[in-house]
Amino acid sequence: MGGWAGWRRWGGWALAVAVALWILSAPGERGALTDDERDYAQAAIHLLRHGVFSHAPDSESPAPDAYREPGYAAFVAAVWRLCGADPPARPEDLVRGGAAARRAVACLGSAQRLLLAAAAWAAARAARRLGGGRAAAAAAGLLTLTSPALLRLSGQLASEALAAALLTSAALVLAALAAAPWARSAAAAGLLLGALVLTRAAFAYLVPLAALVPLLGGAAGGRPGRRRLAGLAALLAGLALLAPAAWAARNAHRFGHWALAESRVVPLARAELGIDVAREGPWAAALAWTPGGLAGDLHRRWFPESRLDRWRWSGPPEQTNYFVRAVRRHRELLGDGGDRLAADAALRREALAAIRERPGAYLLALPPLLWRGLFAERSPGWARPFDLALPLGLLLATGCAVALGRALADRHGPRLALLSLPALSYLFHALATEQLPRFHQPALPLAWAAAAVLLIPRGAAPGDKLKGRAARVPGPAGEEGRPVREKWEGPVEMVVLLDEAGHAIGTAPKSEVHHAGTPLHLAFSLFLFDREGRTLLQRRSFAKRTWPGVWSNSCCGHPGPGEELAAAARRRLADELGLAAEEVEVVLPDFRYRAEQDGMVENEICPVLAGRARGEPRPDPSEVAEIAWHPWEEVLSVARESPERLSPWASEEARLLAGAPRFASWWERAISGSGGPRRA
């Protein structure tokens, strides 16, 4: 079997095997440990050897501390224990040790590649959430897997590797929670956010904001009560704060300070940075932080007295930059064996005092810091001697901005929830830190998802030319109508506008069609059956603008310009329910209806199709809140006796299908002919 059909059958398995081999492959040679890597390795070694969380140099009885968050060190220790690797005696042995150290490095590398694979899967799901098709989802996953920055993290002892998987997964679950306010989604989001905070304490501010996500679903759907929404918010926040609060209580008990970890020089460095930017100007700072050799050369030529990149650890303060001054002050406060958490608190107070004294300098640093944060992605090695960090950063920023703008314009709660974590992280670091690009590497999978949706519009194959084309649009009875010329613009879903005779007269974006004066347009409804004659009903997501939370037929949608009804039904069925179908036919070609709810009007010529399901449903929570299989006669009984229990179109369609000759013929062939029951 060749071609596309062969790929559909065997390509998924081949890709899974390739990813498995990639995960299990041993990392390459590496250089000396960085300070951060040494700290994490030391903490993991002490956890395994002594059961103590400490970053102290190797000793028989290390003193507990709160220098860093415990999440990543606990992850490293768990990986070594699970794979049976002996922890090295010292962190440096990971580089120059023997077979045992190489095994520990290989185990950790495989585990972190597994984390990257999980982040890639979540990025693919995020691309679908953002309105992308299968091609965009595949591109998002592959771009995440091959991201130079994320690949580099997977070969290091870096907490960002764990944070990337946690942040992407948490954002995906929050989107599901906004689509359908279920307790399991709130609990999963809370647990993921709690693990994220224990890995990177800077993400703690996301918890109260994430607790507002259920309100997005409630506002869109209007169904869940305030008490239920408040309960979901409390569940999410409680589970998210449970483990971090326990760790902060441990630090308060042992060291007298409620803290998750030391913030070290970060707050004071941010305050001092504002002073440097005010002295040199925001343009000098933006140029200093632009990646690429040309930008560096221009910065040195145009601003020869700049301190921003002057790393002199001796001499007067005017010869050093903001970070060096902050480190010097930290050393002064710490002294010999001083209280690290007390020094940490003193630095924060000094930072706040400096900001209050010069608020203008603090605000002036925001634009160049926002620019600096765009370049979390690294340039790939194959691009040398060129540095692609600048164009890659601009591409990711554009994708995120476009996706966020569309979500805001459409008031799309799930997409807003999905993008809220990286957007808020970006703003927070500009306000509270020096905005190092690596701070944003955990958000790269979501950024690549947004970029993939921008680059590969829905409904276009990767090699297609996205140009306007003439196409014939089927009329209500399945015959071809008049030609329509449509220019596809990104992942915007277009619907076909009709005149009273059912002929196509133009197109319009779906987001602009449904309102109080909805024009007549083309749609379709699908009733999906299994071989036993049961039909699949879906409960529409609470995030839907029309008839949220209402039970309806298997699937509805709008065919695009030039798209056949059966192809549109299969596409929408795969998007909403993760199902394939066979024997898909138009069985009620002339159905037309108009319905109104809360000022929203449906006005459609809506041919009805029937099909037989193949596979198990995997509903998209942003589209479907619940599914259920029911005998067809039971559905007919509800449509006749209690039509208000179904959507207005579904109840009317079911009643009409009961006497439709085409549907009777289809049933005999597709259901009764395959061993199913005959119609009553």
Side-chain angles (χ1 to χ4, degrees):
M1 184 180 294
W4 174 242
W7 167 253
R8 290 185 65 180
R9 180 171 181 180
W10 302 107
W13 290 104
L15 184 61
V17 171
V19 171
L21 293 175
W22 171 80
I23 290 171
L24 296 174
S25 60
E29 296 296 326
R30 54 158 302 142
L33 295 175
T34 65
D35 290 342
D36 288 347
E37 290 181 297
R38 189 177 296 105
D39 289 338
Y40 288 127
Q42 188 68 77
I45 291 169
H46 285 321
L47 278 174
L48 287 174
R49 291 184 177 273
H50 310 292
V52 174
F53 184 80
S54 174
H55 297 80
D58 185 55
S59 67
E60 292 301 322
S61 56
D65 64 29
Y67 182 57
R68 290 187 183 273
E69 304 89 338
Y72 182 68
F75 167 77
V76 174
V79 168
W80 285 344
R81 175 156 293 177
L82 287 174
C83 70
D86 292 329
R90 297 178 303 276
E92 289 74 14
D93 292 343
L94 292 172
V95 178
R96 58 173 182 262
R102 287 195 296 272
R103 175 175 171 77
V105 171
C107 286
L108 183 60
S110 296
Q112 295 197 151
R113 290 196 176 199
L114 184 60
L115 288 176
L116 180 53
W121 175 86
R125 294 290 300 164
R128 297 301 295 269
R129 286 277 188 190
L130 293 173
R134 292 181 178 178
L142 290 174
L143 288 168
T144 300
L145 282 175
T146 56
S147 161
L150 294 175
L151 279 174
R152 183 171 181 268
L153 289 177
S154 69
Q156 294 182 321
L157 281 91
S159 62
E160 291 87 356
L162 177 58
L166 292 173
L167 179 67
T168 311
S169 301
L172 201 60
V173 176
L174 284 175
L177 180 61
W182 298 111
R184 61 177 178 269
S185 297
L191 293 173
L192 287 168
L193 285 171
L196 180 64
V197 172
L198 283 182
T199 303
R200 301 283 293 181
F203 287 113
Y205 69 94
L206 290 177
V207 173
L209 297 169
L212 300 177
V213 165
L215 300 179
L216 296 176
R223 290 290 190 232
R226 293 182 179 178
R227 183 173 299 178
R228 174 175 171 78
L229 293 177
L232 291 175
L235 175 64
L236 189 157
L239 289 177
L241 295 174
L242 182 62
W247 183 255
R250 172 257 192 191
N251 293 338
H253 175 72
R254 287 180 176 270
F255 313 114
H257 295 274
W258 285 86
L260 290 173
E262 293 184 36
S263 55
R264 298 178 290 280
V265 302
V266 172
L268 187 59
R270 172 63 179 89
E272 292 288 335
L273 183 147
I275 296 174
D276 282 1
V277 172
R279 179 184 300 110
E280 300 180 17
W283 290 110
L287 191 59
W289 295 329
T290 300
L294 177 60
D297 292 341
L298 292 176
H299 179 254
R300 286 187 291 272
R301 181 182 304 173
W302 293 347
F303 305 98
E305 301 300 322
S306 174
R307 302 183 188 177
L308 292 169
D309 56 355
R310 188 176 297 176
W311 303 92
R312 296 181 180 177
W313 296 94
S314 60
E318 60 270 14
Q319 296 181 0
T320 61
N321 69 4
Y322 61 94
F323 186 78
V324 174
R325 297 197 300 273
V327 171
R328 286 183 178 179
R329 179 56 182 156
H330 181 250
R331 291 174 178 173
E332 292 175 5
L333 291 172
L334 192 59
D336 296 329
D339 186 337
R340 300 184 67 94
L341 290 178
D344 208 47
L347 280 180
R348 288 196 296 271
R349 289 193 296 270
E350 291 187 12
L352 290 174
I355 291 172
R356 285 196 297 267
E357 182 180 349
R358 303 186 63 175
Y362 169 80
L363 295 175
L364 189 64
L366 283 177
L369 281 175
L370 292 173
W371 173 257
R372 185 184 199 182
L374 299 181
F375 308 113
E377 188 58 276
R378 299 170 62 90
S379 181
W382 53 262
R384 294 174 183 172
F386 303 102
D387 192 331
L388 298 184
L390 176 60
L392 287 178
L394 294 178
L395 169 65
L396 295 176
T398 302
C400 291
V402 170
L404 187 59
R406 286 173 176 163
L408 288 169
D410 294 340
R411 293 180 294 179
H412 198 290
R415 293 179 187 175
L416 288 172
L418 182 69
L419 298 168
S420 63
L421 295 188
L424 292 171
S425 173
Y426 177 68
L427 293 175
F428 169 81
H429 282 290
L431 292 169
T433 75
E434 56 197 294
Q435 189 84 318
L436 293 180
R438 68 180 177 87
F439 293 165
H440 304 294
Q441 288 174 347
L444 280 176
L446 294 173
W448 277 120
V453 173
L454 178 69
L455 293 173
I456 306 178
R458 189 182 184 90
D464 286 350
K465 296 181 179 180
L466 304 180
K467 296 182 178 180
R469 57 187 177 89
R472 291 199 172 268
V473 182
E479 70 275 4
E480 287 192 332
R482 57 188 292 184
V484 175
R485 186 169 183 85
E486 172 56 38
K487 184 175 181 180
W488 292 79
E489 298 178 354
V492 176
E493 185 175 354
M494 308 296 291
V495 301
V496 179
L497 304 180
L498 304 174
D499 61 18
E500 289 298 318
H503 296 140
I505 57 174
T507 61
K510 177 184 173 183
S511 60
E512 300 176 6
V513 166
H514 295 91
H515 45 71
T518 301
L520 182 64
H521 58 279
L522 182 63
F524 68 84
S525 283
L526 173 67
F527 283 80
L528 197 66
F529 297 84
D530 62 10
R531 293 183 182 273
E532 286 72 40
R534 298 180 304 167
T535 185
L536 180 64
L537 298 184
Q538 66 154 284
R539 190 179 191 185
R540 292 165 61 84
S541 167
F542 288 98
K544 292 280 190 180
R545 295 175 63 190
T546 56
W547 283 270
V550 174
W551 284 96
S552 189
N553 57 296
S554 307
C555 178
C556 295
H558 302 81
E563 187 177 23
E564 294 183 357
L565 288 171
R570 288 189 173 95
R571 166 179 60 79
R572 193 62 183 161
L573 187 64
D575 289 345
E576 287 192 8
L577 296 167
L579 271 174
E582 52 195 6
E583 303 286 350
V584 178
E585 294 181 15
V586 176
V587 292
L588 196 64
D590 300 320
F591 179 67
R592 174 177 176 175
Y593 79 100
R594 187 181 189 278
E596 182 176 354
Q597 183 190 59
D598 299 331
M600 294 293 291
V601 172
E602 289 283 8
N603 184 20
E604 299 174 339
I605 291 180
C606 184
V608 181
L609 299 92
R612 196 173 64 210
R614 190 173 72 240
E616 292 297 324
R618 298 188 303 276
D620 181 351
S622 67
E623 299 283 354
V624 180
E626 195 174 349
I627 60 172
W629 290 96
H630 290 279
W632 176 239
E633 294 302 325
E634 183 180 314
V635 175
L636 283 179
S637 176
V638 171
R640 289 165 176 158
E641 299 172 9
S642 304
E644 70 280 356
R645 294 173 58 187
L646 297 173
S647 66
W649 61 90
S651 59
E652 186 175 354
E653 289 166 353
R655 293 193 298 270
L656 291 173
L657 285 176
R662 289 193 183 187
F663 179 62
S665 174
W666 177 88
W667 184 283
E668 291 299 321
R669 183 178 66 259
I671 304 299
S672 301
S674 62
R678 293 189 175 274
R679 292 182 62 203

